């Protein structure tokens, strides 16, 4: 009941290479919880300032055991927010493929700059992260 798959089929080697090398935009929905209450106007200002922004991401701590420790520049194309209450919000984010979205929210101890947490000056925790769409040009 948690995952739905449609049109599943086998792929040949050429298709796998093409798919792995593609860099489509992806859209996400994130439910985040703040460590202290946030002001709605301040949150909206932060979101506006981060839309269309390039971010610098060092390999996240959570994947260091399986990925090289690299610095990556990624673009957050669009971001929208709905404040549910002073300590919870839902973000809709469209970003370049390869963007670590959880780390964009909580900052990963300064390994993602800027982040929602660093710009707000409060701790943020991701409760849920859903991929809404893969915006492939093909």
């Amino acid at each position: 009941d948690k995952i739905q798959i449609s049109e599943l089929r086998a792929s040949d080697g050429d298709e796998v290479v093409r798919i792995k090398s593609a860099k489509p935009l992806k859209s996400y929905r994130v439910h985040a919880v703040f460590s202290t209450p946030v002001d709605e106007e301040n949150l909206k200002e932060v979101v506006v300032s981060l839309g269309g922004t390039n971010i610098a991401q060092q390999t996240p701590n959570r994947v260091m055991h399986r990925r090289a420790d690299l610095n990556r520049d990624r673009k957050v194309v669009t971001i929208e927010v709905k404040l549910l209450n002073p300590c919870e919000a839902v973000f809709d984010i469209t970003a370049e493929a390869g963007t670590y979205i959880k780390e964009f929210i909580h900052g990963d101890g300064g390994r993602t700059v800027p982040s929602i947490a660093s710009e707000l000056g409060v701790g943020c925790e991701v409760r849920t992260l859903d991929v809404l769409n893969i915006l492939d040009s093909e």
Side-chain angles (χ1 to χ4, degrees), residues 12 36-37 45 57 63 76 85 99 113 122:
D12 63 24
T36 59
E45 287 174 15
Q57 294 194 301
V63 298
V76 174
N85 63 59
T99 305
V113 179
V122 302

Side-chain angles (χ1 to χ4, degrees), residues 1-109:
D1 292 334
K2 300 268 182 187
I3 298 173
Q4 295 179 355
I5 300 172
S6 61
E7 301 179 38
L8 182 64
R9 63 178 175 75
S11 296
D12 63 24
D14 290 340
E15 186 176 34
V16 170
V17 169
R18 182 182 57 78
I19 290 169
K20 287 187 145 219
S21 65
K23 300 293 182 202
L25 297 178
K26 296 180 182 179
S27 62
Y28 305 86
R29 179 159 295 142
V30 181
H31 177 198
V33 177
F34 307 114
S35 60
T36 59
V38 298
D39 175 72
E40 186 170 14
E41 288 307 311
N42 186 35
L43 177 61
K44 288 180 179 181
E45 287 174 15
V46 165
V47 164
V48 167
S49 73
L50 292 175
T53 299
N54 289 320
I55 60 173
Q57 294 194 301
Q58 191 172 353
T59 302
N61 285 312
R62 70 182 169 89
V63 298
M64 285 288 291
H65 64 282
R66 66 178 189 264
R67 298 264 191 252
D69 190 11
L70 301 173
N71 291 311
R72 298 165 178 87
D73 291 324
R74 296 291 186 256
K75 184 167 189 166
V76 174
V77 179
T78 63
I79 181 169
E80 296 176 3
V81 66
K82 178 181 179 187
L83 191 64
L84 302 176
N85 63 59
C87 290
E88 290 183 79
V90 173
F91 295 90
D92 285 339
I93 301 168
T94 300
E96 184 179 4
T99 305
Y100 291 104
I101 298 298
K102 288 179 183 179
E103 286 70 18
F104 173 61
I105 299 293
H106 62 64
D108 199 26

Side-chain angles (χ1 to χ4, degrees), residues 104-107 115-124:
F104 173 61
I105 299 293
H106 62 64
S115 68
I116 298 289
S118 67
E119 296 301 296
L120 285 173
V122 302
C124 297

